[in-house]
């Protein structure tokens, strides 16, 4: 992994990635484009590869031979509440399926609330709420863009929206692990949200996410297009079904 300590994206690593991702097996199972599939049916049975790596030491033809959406680390800012990334800047030259270029992804990747007023001594609640505000804001922006595009009002109906609900602040005191961020403090996990009628454990991002996904009306996101939502510790206690609530939006 190029971002690990003492690791590097050497020409040897790049050649290995090229070799692995252009095999007959890769051509069979990986969606053969640098763009999003036009419909879900086009991607059925395939892997849509999101590439968080570059291949600068390979030729352009070799780079184009590797399928997937190019999420270059150089274009991905660290710990950001919302940014835009053009993920297929390279010209397809007829090799990438639909031949689209300069498509945009809208991404929330605020994985560590390190800008809180209390600094490294922020409460669990402060950390969870900071992460949740970033998640909710991005999901609402995705829903608004999808609705505007579908109505022909100038929204980016074809944009790729990605929201990471996972996070941590392990250097904080008290320590906020990914599990605590998702589920809340361990001592609060015996209760159920919503009076025990569905919901995750109390106090974490997942509980708040479930409520938003299940809520009808102008303030809820039930039935709205939200894009890709990446989450930790999605298993639910009680009758809540976080994955079901998310998939039920399609």
């Amino acid at each position: 992994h190029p971002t690990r300590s003492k690791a590097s994206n050497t020409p040897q690593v790049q050649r290995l990635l090229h070799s692995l991702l252009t095999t007959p097996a890769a051509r069979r199972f990986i969606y053969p484009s640098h763009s999003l599939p036009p419909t879900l049916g086009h991607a059925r049975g395939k892997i849509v590869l999101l590439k968080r790596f570059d291949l600068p030491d390979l030729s352009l033809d070799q780079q184009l031979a590797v399928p997937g959406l190019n999420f270059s680390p150089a274009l991905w800012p660290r710990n950001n509440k919302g940014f835009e990334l053009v993920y297929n800047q390279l010209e397809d030259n007829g090799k990438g399926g639909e031949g689209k270029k300069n498509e945009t992804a809208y991404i929330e990747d605020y994985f560590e609330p390190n800008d809180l007023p209390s600094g490294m001594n922020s409460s669990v609640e402060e950390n969870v709420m900071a992460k949740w505000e970033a998640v909710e804001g991005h999901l609402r922006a995705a829903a608004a863009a999808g609705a505007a595009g579908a109505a022909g009002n100038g929204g980016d109906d074809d944009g790729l929206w990605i929201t990471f609900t996972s996070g941590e602040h392990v250097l904080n005191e008290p320590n906020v692990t990914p599990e605590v961020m998702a589920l809340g403090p361990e001592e609060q996990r015996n209760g159920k949200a919503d009076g025990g009628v569905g919901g995750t454990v109390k106090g974490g991002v997942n509980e708040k996410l479930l409520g938003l996904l299940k809520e009808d009306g102008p303030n809820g996101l039930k039935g709205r297009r939200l894009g890709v939502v990446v989450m930790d510790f999605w298993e639910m206690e009680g009758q809540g079904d976080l994955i079901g609530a998310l998939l039920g939006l399609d």
Side-chain angles (χ1 to χ4, degrees):
H1 193 293
T3 61
R4 291 186 61 181
S5 176
K6 299 182 180 180
S8 60
N9 189 20
T10 64
Q12 181 182 6
V13 170
Q14 295 173 43
R15 289 192 295 270
L16 179 61
L17 285 169
H18 173 272
S19 176
L20 291 172
L21 294 172
T22 56
T23 62
R27 288 194 294 269
R28 178 180 177 186
F29 291 110
I30 298 177
Y31 185 72
S33 179
H34 304 123
S35 299
L36 276 180
T39 68
L40 186 61
H42 285 79
R44 185 164 287 115
K46 301 286 187 180
I47 298 168
V48 178
L49 183 63
L50 311 183
K51 299 184 295 186
R52 287 285 303 275
F53 58 84
D54 290 324
L55 302 171
D57 294 305
L58 303 187
S59 69
L60 179 59
D61 282 344
Q62 288 176 309
Q63 293 180 50
L64 290 172
V66 177
L69 282 56
N70 182 34
F71 288 176
S72 169
L75 301 177
W76 191 295
R78 178 179 171 81
N79 202 31
N80 198 286
K81 296 179 182 180
F83 62 95
E84 300 181 11
L85 187 156
V86 178
Y87 57 81
N88 61 343
Q89 298 181 49
L90 292 175
E91 186 62 60
D92 266 20
N93 294 327
K95 298 180 182 180
E98 293 72 48
K100 296 181 181 179
K101 191 183 178 193
N102 292 336
E103 295 174 299
T104 302
Y106 305 88
I107 302 167
E108 175 272 319
D109 189 25
Y110 182 57
F111 60 86
E112 184 178 72
N114 59 0
D115 53 356
L116 301 179
S118 302
M120 305 295 282
N121 298 110
S122 303
S123 67
V124 172
E125 181 180 5
E126 288 176 308
N127 278 272
V128 169
M129 287 307 301
K131 173 61 181 178
W132 171 244
E133 287 172 4
V135 168
E136 181 182 16
H138 200 256
L139 290 175
R140 291 193 182 280
N153 294 328
D156 191 355
D157 189 39
D158 292 327
L160 173 60
W161 290 78
I162 303 177
T163 303
F164 290 86
T165 70
S166 54
E168 52 78 26
H169 201 175
V170 295
L171 298 180
N172 188 73
E173 180 59 46
N175 183 265
V176 182
T177 65
E179 185 175 14
V180 170
M181 185 71 78
L183 303 179
E186 186 173 0
E187 61 269 19
Q188 296 183 17
R189 298 180 194 174
N190 293 326
K192 304 287 194 306
D194 303 324
V197 184
T200 67
V201 295
K202 294 181 177 179
V205 169
N206 287 6
E207 176 193 7
K208 302 179 188 302
L209 176 61
L210 180 68
L212 191 63
L213 295 177
K214 294 174 68 175
E215 183 179 347
D216 276 320
N219 294 322
L221 294 183
K222 185 176 182 179
R224 307 289 292 277
R225 285 187 58 182
L226 302 179
V228 178
V229 182
V230 185
M231 62 186 70
D232 274 342
F233 302 98
W234 51 266
E235 297 93 343
M236 308 294 291
E237 293 191 359
Q239 301 174 16
D241 184 357
L242 187 56
I243 298 298
L246 180 62
L247 295 180
L249 301 177
D250 296 334

